[in-house]
Amino acid sequence: MKLSKNRLLNMYELMLDARNFDLKVNQLVKRGMVPGMTHLSVGEEAANIGALAALNPDDIITSNHRGHAQVIGKGIDLNGMMAEIMGKATGTCKGKGGSMHIADLENGNLGANGIVGGGHGIAVGAAYTQKVKNTGKIVVCFFGDGATNEGSFHEALNLASVWKVPVIFYSINNGYGISTSINKVMNIEHIYERAGSYGIPGYFIEDGNDVLAVYETFEKAVKYVREGKGPVLVESITYRWFGHSSSDPGKYRTKEEVDEWKKKDPNIKFKNYLIENKIATEEELEKMDEISKKKIEESVEFAKNSPEPTIESAYEDIFAD
Ligand SMILES: Cc1ncc(C[n+]2csc(CCOP(=O)(O)OP(=O)(O)O)c2C)c(N)n1
């Protein structure tokens, strides 16, 4: 793995954008400016951005309800994304989808999904298309740990392995499905071991807060899948700092546990790496943070100044042409 200075700084910029975007959304939710539910991925930036950095720009993803960092990492226009979350007509999906249903087809994002496990089948279908059309593109299906107990997960892995389609199933294991610890609902230690049932490789990223470790493993997974060998399952271990959703005070986790994970902040970890390896100075990285925050503020202004969708638009975009 040898990443250029530009690539490394671009990854850091995306991690900053993902962090600052969600911190801002959290504030907007508290001010009543966001209709619908939001699920923040603060703390999971490395697990998301490291994976996406190993893809080609025209590769495809399916996202889940905790998808903001995935959408940002895939290159969405931040103004359109913020407007979508605030339910405005200028939003990426014309304000009809909101946080849990952001799609960005132009950048290869087939969409977030409020149905846990809803992306699995879509990803296999998209990967089948790439195989049949011989496009050379691969698909990454993002989901949580809880989603691996849905029937759709097992059906999708089975079919994908039988069809040998180019898809990476990627479980971002933050330890909980809402308030349920994954250890209480899974009788094996690691999610990636489930790959064995389908005769496909499983990759484990022990430190999902280390963006370079995530990237490195994904590089291997991407190579395998792009060579036409079939699907793989990847698991990374990370943590969400906030409650499950905007309506969850997170009482099922101790303050000590949350604080312990905050000490393993993925953004700080990468920042220290960039400084220690003389990729950038602390001042330069702080400047990047300021620019990122400014961009997010501008996206809020854009969204605030955008019109609400019209009543008539509720009947548009329902059927395919
Ligand atoms: C089919 C289905 N069942 C239940 C829910 C309610 N629900 C929303 S998110 C969630 C937990 C998902 O946990 P996980 O897959 O680990 O993702 P995380 O939220 O931890 O990122 C549940 C049970 C749902 N949206 N869809």
Side-chain angles (χ1 to χ4, degrees):
M1 179 191 67
K2 180 84 186 93
L3 287 166
S4 68
K5 177 177 170 172
N6 275 354
R7 291 281 306 282
L8 290 167
L9 291 180
N10 177 248
M11 283 160 79
Y12 188 60
E13 182 186 353
L14 291 169
M15 287 171 76
L16 288 172
D17 286 351
R19 169 72 54 93
N20 291 325
F21 191 93
D22 266 3
L23 291 177
K24 180 53 71 181
V25 169
N26 194 37
Q27 287 176 4
L28 297 171
V29 166
K30 287 188 177 140
R31 287 185 214 147
M33 290 165 76
V34 176
M37 297 257 272
T38 51
H39 303 77
L40 307 179
S41 42
V42 176
E44 302 184 3
E45 292 85 356
N48 285 295
I49 302 301
L52 292 164
L55 301 183
N56 290 340
D58 63 352
D59 284 332
I60 294 162
I61 68 162
T62 60
S63 178
N64 71 344
H65 58 281
R66 197 175 306 288
H68 294 177
Q70 293 144 25
V71 181
I72 290 172
K74 201 73 179 80
I76 201 170
D77 161 56
L78 291 176
N79 287 356
M81 182 174 171
M82 191 60 91
E84 183 59 35
I85 288 174
M86 289 170 71
K88 298 302 184 84
T90 52
T92 343
C93 304
K94 303 184 189 170
K96 298 181 193 180
S99 163
M100 261 190 287
H101 304 100
I102 297 177
D104 180 21
L105 299 184
E106 220 172 277
N107 287 305
N109 178 358
L110 298 185
N113 207 311
I115 308 296
V116 173
H120 296 137
I122 297 171
V124 176
Y128 183 72
T129 304
Q130 307 319 310
K131 182 170 172 153
V132 170
K133 292 193 171 171
N134 207 10
T135 64
K137 296 181 198 174
I138 65 165
V139 180
V140 179
C141 176
F142 285 83
F143 48 90
D145 42 277
T148 66
N149 286 330
E150 291 288 347
S152 64
F153 170 81
H154 300 277
E155 292 176 35
L157 264 73
N158 188 51
L159 201 54
S161 69
V162 170
W163 283 351
K164 275 195 171 210
V165 293
V167 55
I168 297 177
F169 294 100
Y170 182 30
S171 180
I172 297 186
N173 182 354
N174 60 22
Y176 294 87
I178 311 187
S179 55
T180 305
S181 162
I182 185 69
N183 302 324
K184 286 192 184 152
V185 288
M186 190 176 75
N187 208 17
I188 52 171
E189 201 178 343
H190 299 295
I191 288 166
Y192 81 93
E193 291 169 13
R194 292 182 154 180
S197 302
Y198 305 101
I200 64 173
Y203 296 86
F204 184 50
I205 305 167
E206 197 170 0
D207 187 359
N209 283 6
D210 178 348
V211 72
L212 296 177
V214 177
Y215 177 86
E216 213 170 314
T217 300
F218 255 81
E219 236 191 349
K220 289 183 204 142
V222 166
K223 183 171 182 294
Y224 180 94
V225 170
R226 216 184 286 286
E227 279 170 358
K229 293 179 178 161
V232 301
L233 172 64
V234 183
E235 172 188 12
S236 68
I237 303 294
T238 183
Y239 201 77
R240 59 169 158 77
W241 287 13
F242 288 96
H244 167 73
S245 68
S246 34
S247 61
D248 170 25
K251 290 273 183 338
Y252 45 87
R253 308 188 302 186
T254 62
K255 186 175 175 318
E256 290 71 35
E257 181 181 303
V258 179
D259 288 346
E260 214 35 60
W261 274 96
K262 283 188 177 170
K263 283 188 208 148
K264 302 183 215 166
D265 184 331
N267 288 23
I268 298 287
K269 190 175 188 126
F270 194 35
K271 185 181 182 185
N272 289 340
Y273 171 91
L274 294 171
I275 295 168
E276 279 159 24
N277 288 278
K278 304 206 178 336
I279 308 292
T281 63
E282 182 153 19
E283 294 69 40
E284 284 166 340
L285 299 178
E286 263 153 32
K287 182 86 198 142
M288 282 176 73
D289 193 26
E290 269 172 44
I291 293 170
S292 165
K293 285 182 175 136
K294 193 158 172 281
K295 261 191 306 193
I296 308 292
E297 279 306 334
E298 284 165 6
S299 74
V300 176
E301 281 313 302
F302 171 82
K304 274 195 208 159
N305 295 325
S306 294
E308 303 279 339
T310 58
I311 300 281
E312 297 72 47
S313 73
Y315 298 101
E316 294 162 6
D317 307 314
I318 296 173
F319 301 108
D321 290 331

